[in-house]
Amino acid sequence: LKASSDLGVPLVGVGLLYQQGYFRQSLGSDAWQVEAYPYNDPVSLPVVPVEQRDGGWLRVRLELPGRTLLVRAWQAQVGKVTLYLLDSNDPLNSPRDRGITANLYPVAREQRLMQEIVLGVGGWRLLEDLGLDIDVCHLNEGHAAFAVVARARRFMVKTGASFPTALCATKAGNVFTTHTPVEAAFDRFDATLIRPYAGYLSKMVKVPEEELLALGRKNPANKDESFNMAYLALRGCGFVNGVSRLHSRVSRRIFQDLWPNWPPAEVPVHSITNGVHVPSWDSSHADALWTKLCGKARWVGTMEGVCPLFTQVSDEELWQFRVAQRNSLVHYVRRRLIRQSQEHGAPEDMIRRAQHVLDPNSLTLGFARRFTSYKRPTLLLSNRERMLRLLCDPERPVQLIVAGKAHPKDEEGKRLVQAMAQFAQRSPCPDRVVFLEDYEMGLAQELVAGVDVWVNTPRRLCEACGTSGMKVLVNGGLNLSELDGWWAEAYAPEVGWAIGDGQDHDETGWDQVEAKQLYEILEQEIVPEFYTRDREGIPSRWVARIRASMSRLTPGFSSNRMVREYVDRAYAPAAEAFRRRTADNAKLAGDLLDWKQKVVDNWHGLRFGRQETVQVDDAWQFEVEVYLGDLDPSWVSVELYADGEEASSIRIPMQRDAALPGLVNAHLYRGMAPSSRPVEHYTPRIVPFHPDAAIPLDASQIFWRS
C-alpha cells in the first residue's frame, strides 16, 4: 500500500482489525517463551470508523447459519491509499462472534473459517457498500478466497447472470498470490465444519451446495474431501503468481495435480518476487546518503539509473556510513537490554553489564525472524565450540544479535528460542551475544540498519521468498543466506555469501553439511574480509561488496519494482480482460462457457495419425495427421512441445494444412522446430484454444501423441 501510494496506483486495501494481534513475547527464568495478548484499543490506533453515506457507523451484515453477524468497518490512511479493516467486536454480536477477529493465526478451525468469511465475503460487501467500482481484486494468499464468490454474487445481482457465468466473467479480474511453499500450510476445512457455511454461501449464489464445495476440492466429485482455500482461489482467478522464481517453481509442483497431464513448467503459476518498502526501512544515515546520490524522489519512479551513482561515493564515506550505523545499533541494543533486564528484576551487576555489551567496532551478525524448525535458527549453534571461537576471538571478534518469536502452539519453535536465549545467557563471552525479547517492527528497523551481515538459514524450498534480508540492502548490510527464496535469484559472489549448492536435498545429514559450510564461510571469508584493512583503516574488499549490494540489489528488491511489476503483468491485463468479459451483459463470458462445455463434451474424440519428420536446413519439419472428432478446428491448438524449465521449454503452434481426403474433420498439420534439440524431444499435442481464454486456467484439457 505504501509503494502504491508512492507510485500513484489507484488501490484500496481490505484486511482485519485484530483485537489482540499476534502476541508480545517475554522469556521466563528458564528462557522459555511466555506470550501476552494485550488488547488493541482502536481508539489508540491510527484508524477511524467508516461512516455510511447517510451518517452513522458502517456495519456490514452477514447472514450466517442461525444468526446475523455485524462487522464494523475502520479506515486507515496509508499515504494516498486507503486501508479498510473489519472488526467483529460489536456489542450487538454474541460473545463468541465478537471474538472472531480477536487474534492473528487462531488455532480453532471454526474461528479461522469465520475470519476468512468475514475477510472474503464481508470485505467484498464493504466495497459494495462504499460504492467502489473495482476492476481488479488481488487475493493475498487463499485466506481471502471467498471474495471470488461474493464478487460473482454481486455481478449476478447487477446483471441477472447465473453463477457459472458470473464467475467466468469476474475471475478474469481476480489475481491470486500464493505465499506458502508447503502444501500442508494451505487452509483446509473438513466437510463437516464447512458444510453449514457452504450452505449459506450456496444460497447466496443460487447453486447447489456441492457445486460450490467442488470449487475447493482437488477432486470435485469427492464429497468427503476437505475444502482447500487455495484451490478456490485458483479456480476463481485469472492470474496466479508465487513470490519468487524458486517459489513459483515449487508452487507449480504443489498444484500439479490440478493440471495432471500438463508439464510442470506450464502449470499456470507466474513469478513476481516480493520487495520491501525501502523508505520504511532505511535509517537516517542511509536516507541522507541516498538523498545525496539520488534525490528525494528516488522511490516514486523507476530506479534503473541508481547503480552508476554509487561510483561517486568514496570508500571512506561508505565505510564511515557503516560505522555510524553499527554504533547506533550497539547503543540501541544496550538501552533495550537494560530495560529488558530491569523488567525481569535482574541484579544490579547484570544491569551494569548490559550497559557495555557489544562493541561498535566488531563484526556484527544479525539473526531475527520467526522461530520454526524449517528456518533452522540453531544451525549457528550446531558446533558450539566453533561458534564460541568466533565470538570470543580477542583479535578479530564477532558479535551476534538474535531476536525472534515462535508461534504459541509451536513447541519445537519454543525450544529453538530457548536454545538461542540460553546460549546468549551462558556464553563465556556474554558481551558478544545478545538475545532481545519481543521481536517487532521497531526492533527490526534498528537491526536491519546496523548489522554488518544478516544471517538466514532456512532449508531450501521452505522459504517462499523471505524479505528480512532485503531490508538490510538499503542500509549497506550484507547477506549470508541459503540459496532459497529471493536470495536464490539475488545472489552473486560480489554482493554477499551463499549457503548450499543451489540444489534440492532431502537426504539425512544435509543440515550438517550446510552447518559446516556456514562456519567455513564465516571463518575463511567473512571475518578475514571485514578485518583486512588498508593504510587508512578501510576494508576495501568489504566496502566494494557493500557498494555492489546497495546499488544493484536495493532497487530490484524494493516494493517499488514489485508494484510496477504487478501493474504491468497482472493488474492492467486483468482489468482489460475483466472489461471484455463483462461487456454486453457478460456476452463473452457466456460464449466462453459454451465453448468450454463443447470442448469438454467432445474431447474424447481426438486422436493422432501418421507422423513424418524431415530435417530442412537447421530445423525439423513435422507433419502429423490429426483427427478432431466433433471439435471445431478453431476450438483447439495443435502444437509441438519440448520439455524444459520455464524459459527452456519450447511450444510451437502447428499450422492446419489440407483436410485429409475421404475422412471427416481430419487434417494435416505442419510445423517447424529448431534442430538444436533432438527430434525425439518434440511431441505433438492438442490443447484448447480461444482468443479470450487463459489456458490452462480456463480449460485444462490436453491430449498428447503417445
Side-chain angles (χ1 to χ4, degrees):
L1 300 187
K2 289 177 179 180
S4 295
S5 174
D6 294 342
L7 297 169
V9 177
L11 205 73
V12 297
V14 180
L16 301 181
L17 181 65
Y18 301 103
Q19 287 99 63
Q20 297 172 337
Y22 196 29
F23 68 91
R24 308 306 298 266
Q25 178 202 53
S26 62
L27 300 183
S29 58
D30 59 352
W32 189 254
Q33 175 178 290
V34 178
E35 300 91 23
Y37 295 89
Y39 175 71
N40 294 319
D41 187 348
V43 175
S44 67
L45 301 176
V47 297
V48 295
V50 177
E51 292 187 6
Q52 300 182 87
R53 296 178 193 177
D54 55 354
W57 197 344
L58 194 156
R59 288 172 168 84
V60 177
R61 297 176 63 91
L62 297 177
E63 301 297 332
L64 299 179
R67 71 217 194 261
T68 298
L69 177 69
L70 297 177
V71 183
R72 304 186 299 191
W74 303 81
Q75 177 178 326
Q77 206 60 35
V78 185
K80 294 172 284 189
V81 168
T82 301
L83 168 63
Y84 295 103
L85 298 169
L86 299 173
D87 155 37
S88 69
N89 191 24
D90 190 298
L92 296 176
N93 290 328
S94 69
R96 174 183 163 205
D97 283 348
R98 290 184 69 174
I100 288 171
T101 57
N103 55 292
L104 180 67
Y105 304 141
V107 175
R109 299 308 296 160
E110 187 169 10
Q111 183 187 358
R112 183 84 164 195
L113 173 58
M114 287 302 307
Q115 282 190 358
E116 299 187 3
I117 291 173
V118 168
L119 178 59
V121 180
W124 190 264
R125 290 275 182 88
L126 171 65
L127 299 176
E128 293 176 15
D129 292 346
L130 292 169
L132 297 175
D133 191 15
I134 303 297
D135 284 340
V136 178
C137 177
H138 187 170
L139 307 180
N140 196 27
E141 194 52 276
H143 313 312
F146 286 126
V148 305
V149 180
R151 186 179 195 185
R153 173 199 168 274
R154 176 61 176 169
F155 191 78
M156 293 168 64
V157 171
K158 285 175 63 177
T159 65
S162 67
F163 176 67
T165 301
L167 184 61
C168 180
T170 56
K171 73 177 288 186
N174 295 333
V175 173
F176 170 43
T177 298
T178 176
H179 287 263
T180 176
V182 182
E183 186 176 12
F186 293 131
D187 272 346
R188 290 180 175 83
F189 302 105
D190 63 51
T192 55
L193 173 60
I194 198 170
R195 203 169 291 281
Y197 295 100
Y200 147 71
L201 293 170
S202 65
K203 289 176 185 175
M204 186 174 79
V205 293
K206 301 176 183 176
V207 296
E209 182 181 297
E210 289 303 321
E211 185 175 328
L212 185 73
L213 286 171
L215 293 172
R217 297 172 181 152
K218 184 181 296 186
N219 177 5
N222 182 359
K223 296 183 179 182
D224 297 322
E225 185 181 327
S226 61
F227 188 89
N228 187 316
M229 296 295 288
Y231 292 167
L232 174 61
L234 282 165
R235 291 185 173 120
C237 292
F239 181 91
V240 180
N241 72 281
V243 291
S244 70
R245 292 175 197 161
L246 187 56
H247 174 238
S248 298
R249 174 166 71 83
V250 171
S251 297
R252 285 191 286 271
R253 190 170 65 197
I254 291 173
F255 295 130
Q256 177 76 67
D257 287 348
L258 296 184
W259 292 274
N261 296 314
W262 285 78
E266 292 188 295
V267 172
V269 181
H270 303 275
S271 170
I272 298 180
T273 302
N274 279 344
V276 297
H277 187 251
V278 177
S280 295
W281 297 103
D282 64 348
S283 69
S284 58
H285 299 289
D287 185 68
L289 177 62
W290 281 84
T291 300
K292 175 183 173 182
L293 289 174
C294 309
K296 278 284 187 187
R298 59 192 175 274
W299 299 112
V300 297
T302 61
M303 295 290 295
E304 281 74 9
V306 165
C307 192
L309 296 174
F310 268 79
T311 60
Q312 302 172 14
V313 188
S314 69
D315 284 5
E316 181 181 7
E317 184 179 3
L318 207 51
W319 180 239
Q320 287 305 317
F321 152 71
R322 282 300 309 151
V323 170
Q325 301 244 105
R326 192 184 319 107
N327 187 46
S328 295
L329 172 61
V330 166
H331 285 88
Y332 170 83
V333 170
R334 289 172 179 173
R335 292 192 300 272
R336 185 157 179 140
L337 192 59
I338 289 168
R339 188 179 74 244
Q340 182 175 306
S341 302
Q342 289 170 337
E343 289 172 351
H344 284 285
E348 279 300 317
D349 63 325
M350 185 177 292
I351 294 172
R352 280 196 301 272
R353 195 169 69 204
Q355 297 172 2
H356 303 286
V357 298
L358 306 182
D359 175 5
N361 294 310
S362 293
L363 173 62
T364 305
L365 311 181
F367 185 97
R369 56 194 28 86
R370 182 167 60 91
F371 271 54
T372 190
S373 58
Y374 83 80
K375 291 181 182 284
R376 302 187 297 185
T378 54
L379 199 66
L380 279 166
L381 308 184
S382 54
N383 186 330
R384 297 193 179 211
E385 290 183 7
R386 205 166 174 180
M387 189 67 208
L388 287 172
R389 282 200 299 272
L390 284 164
L391 294 171
C392 301
D393 189 320
E395 296 181 3
R396 301 192 303 182
V398 175
Q399 54 197 17
L400 174 64
I401 306 172
V402 182
K405 299 176 178 179
H407 188 282
K409 299 297 181 182
D410 183 359
E411 294 296 308
E412 176 59 22
K414 289 184 179 183
R415 279 191 285 273
L416 295 171
V417 168
Q418 184 183 47
M420 270 298 209
Q422 288 182 337
F423 176 76
Q425 292 169 357
R426 300 168 183 175
S427 169
C429 41
D431 58 330
R432 302 272 177 84
V433 56
V434 173
F435 188 99
L436 296 176
E437 296 177 4
D438 201 29
Y439 183 47
E440 36 73 38
M441 286 183 68
L443 172 54
Q445 285 176 313
E446 300 290 341
L447 288 176
V448 299
V451 298
D452 295 298
V453 179
W454 191 259
V455 182
N456 190 27
T457 54
R459 287 191 183 91
R460 182 175 158 89
L461 304 186
C462 291
E463 189 90 278
C465 180
T467 56
S468 62
M470 298 178 187
K471 295 164 188 170
V472 306
L473 300 173
V474 69
N475 297 298
L478 301 173
N479 280 274
L480 165 60
S481 182
E482 176 71 38
L483 286 168
D484 198 11
W486 78 284
W487 193 238
E489 60 198 76
Y491 169 71
E494 60 271 23
V495 298
W497 299 271
I499 306 164
D501 59 1
Q503 303 299 313
D504 307 341
H505 293 274
D506 294 325
E507 61 264 33
T508 304
W510 188 251
D511 284 2
Q512 286 70 35
V513 172
E514 293 195 334
K516 183 173 181 241
Q517 186 183 15
L518 175 63
Y519 289 122
E520 288 173 350
I521 291 172
L522 286 167
E523 294 165 347
Q524 300 170 22
E525 299 181 44
I526 293 177
V527 172
E529 190 171 301
F530 182 85
Y531 284 106
T532 300
R533 311 290 170 89
D534 62 18
R535 291 181 179 179
E536 283 72 40
I538 297 171
S540 54
R541 287 185 61 197
W542 189 275
V543 171
R545 200 182 290 271
I546 291 172
R547 182 180 282 107
S549 174
M550 289 184 76
S551 61
R552 286 166 45 181
L553 300 186
T554 308
F557 294 94
S558 68
S559 55
N560 171 292
R561 184 273 312 157
M562 179 189 73
V563 168
R564 287 189 286 117
E565 199 169 346
Y566 271 113
V567 169
D568 292 342
R569 295 182 55 202
Y571 298 164
E576 178 58 29
F578 171 73
R579 286 191 285 269
R580 287 199 307 271
R581 288 200 189 188
T582 56
D584 299 326
N585 235 25
K587 180 181 183 302
L588 176 57
D591 291 345
L592 280 167
L593 283 179
D594 182 58
W595 159 81
K596 181 178 178 180
Q597 192 59 53
K598 288 175 179 174
V599 168
V600 170
D601 290 344
N602 296 291
W603 197 255
H604 65 279
L606 293 174
R607 69 181 178 91
F608 284 102
R610 176 187 57 84
Q611 174 182 318
E612 289 186 1
T613 308
V614 296
Q615 186 165 6
V616 179
D617 298 326
D618 58 352
W620 300 113
Q621 178 177 284
F622 284 82
E623 287 186 357
V624 61
E625 297 175 348
V626 179
Y627 298 82
L628 295 174
D630 292 325
L631 280 169
D632 188 308
S634 67
W635 296 346
V636 298
S637 175
V638 180
E639 302 173 340
L640 291 169
Y641 181 81
D643 208 356
E645 270 294 326
E646 289 188 87
S648 62
S649 61
I650 298 175
R651 181 176 180 174
I652 302 169
M654 301 184 75
Q655 301 302 312
R656 179 160 48 99
D657 200 345
L660 297 178
L663 297 168
V664 176
N665 204 16
H667 306 268
L668 185 67
Y669 280 79
R670 286 194 172 95
M672 303 289 286
S675 60
S676 55
R677 297 278 293 264
V679 67
E680 60 269 17
H681 281 199
Y682 296 98
T683 307
R685 69 182 190 179
I686 305 173
V687 298
F689 173 78
H690 189 289
D692 290 286
I695 306 298
L697 276 173
D698 284 323
S700 60
Q701 291 77 18
I702 190 167
F703 184 80
W704 297 89
R705 187 180 190 278
S706 57

